[in-house]
Amino acid sequence: MAEEKQTIFSGMQPSGFITLGNYLGALRNWTQLQEEYQCLYCIVDLHAITVRQDPASLRRQSRELLMQYIAAGLDPEKNIVYVQSHVPAHAELGWVLNCFTYMGELSRMTQFKEKSQKHADNINAGLFTYPVLMAADILLYQTDLVPVGEDQRQHLEITRDIALRFNRLYGDVFKIPEGYIGKVGARVMALQQPDKKMSKSDENKNNTIALLDDPAVIRNKFKKAMTDSENEVRYDPEHKPGVSNLLSIYCAVTDQTMAEAEREFANVGYGNFKAAVGDAVVEKLLPIQKKVAELDKNKDYLEAVLKTNAERANAIAQKTLRKVHKKLGFLPRG
Ligand code: TRP
């Protein structure tokens, strides 16, 4: 008997752009899971509006995110790549789960605390219940594994708590998801402040490389990256965070080991080293950028992908939602 593939679910917000950090830390690894697992990758626009978004930008960024998913190698036939708002079951299950989640547990979410500080003028209820919607995303598809970074661990934990609570009351409705611990993706640090993670919300644009940054811009940002005063290319994250970050980016994009990279740059000055890293990153990203430009011209294809994948997701989600409604005592929908 053929064994059923395990289900993987993950998502990214279409707010802003995706960075080299998102690519090397997540997206690139996702492309390696598509044979072995049934994967769903969601463009979480419902989550994005928990902070104010400009409608035109949100529309463009959602489309760009889809194109980047595909251009980076996510096959939209092997994976289910879709937009959250196209599958109403997310919002519907989100509501139900709201009624099984406590104010107290949501108040403890560190991301809520951080975001409500950052957006003090707009601490809306959606920001507060963000993790419940995320739980709905995951639980709708009877997900086995969720590849998420450290910053989303707490949200995965609350997802499990909500699912266990619901199952205790109504029987085995939800699969209890686990974190996916795969090959660790490179952890990419900010170019000018290598003590913190590269983040798309960074105000200093020289800290981040966007996947769609112009090659000249990419090279220039690497030229300006922070190093140290030693002029010795050696991996030592504690004492040489800038150089070590550049080295690990270089290894990630060229598939070299750290020892090989250190040898290559043994007698090379920082100027040339930084230029080489910039070139290697451009070489890796250029084919993706070209693919995005091609996809951009192919409106019909993108629309077809969105439509088919939303239907595929919807079919799975409806099954879970129906089961939940039945357990709760809702009348069947004719
Ligand atoms: N909250 C996640 C983030 O900001 C995105 C996300 C939404 C997600 N729903 C998800 C990730 C479900 C994994 C699974 O990064």
Side-chain angles (χ1 to χ4, degrees), residues 152-223:
Q152 298 297 319
R153 289 249 135 220
Q154 206 183 17
H155 290 164
L156 182 57
E157 224 23 73
I158 197 175
T159 298
R160 291 167 53 88
D161 291 342
I162 296 169
L164 285 166
R165 185 174 303 145
F166 196 93
N167 284 356
R168 238 182 342 263
L169 290 164
Y170 298 101
D172 254 348
V173 177
F174 298 123
K175 171 98 50 90
I176 309 301
E178 315 249 350
Y180 174 79
I181 325 260
K183 200 180 111 212
V184 263
R187 189 175 146 84
V188 179
M189 312 302 281
L191 293 184
Q192 302 201 328
Q193 288 155 284
D195 54 331
K196 64 173 195 184
K197 236 177 90 171
M198 182 180 284
S199 156
K200 62 179 167 188
S201 51
D202 204 315
E203 312 249 296
N204 177 0
K205 292 296 162 234
N206 285 323
N207 263 335
T208 50
I209 300 290
L211 219 57
L212 299 181
D213 267 348
D214 204 66
V217 172
I218 295 177
R219 290 199 178 91
N220 200 25
K221 286 181 182 174
F222 277 103
K223 250 182 227 157

Side-chain angles (χ1 to χ4, degrees), residues 9-11 13 44 47 130 134 137-138 146 148 152:
F9 187 99
S10 198
Q13 292 198 40
V44 295
H47 277 104
Y130 180 112
M134 183 160 156
D137 298 344
I138 296 168
V146 185
V148 285
Q152 298 297 319

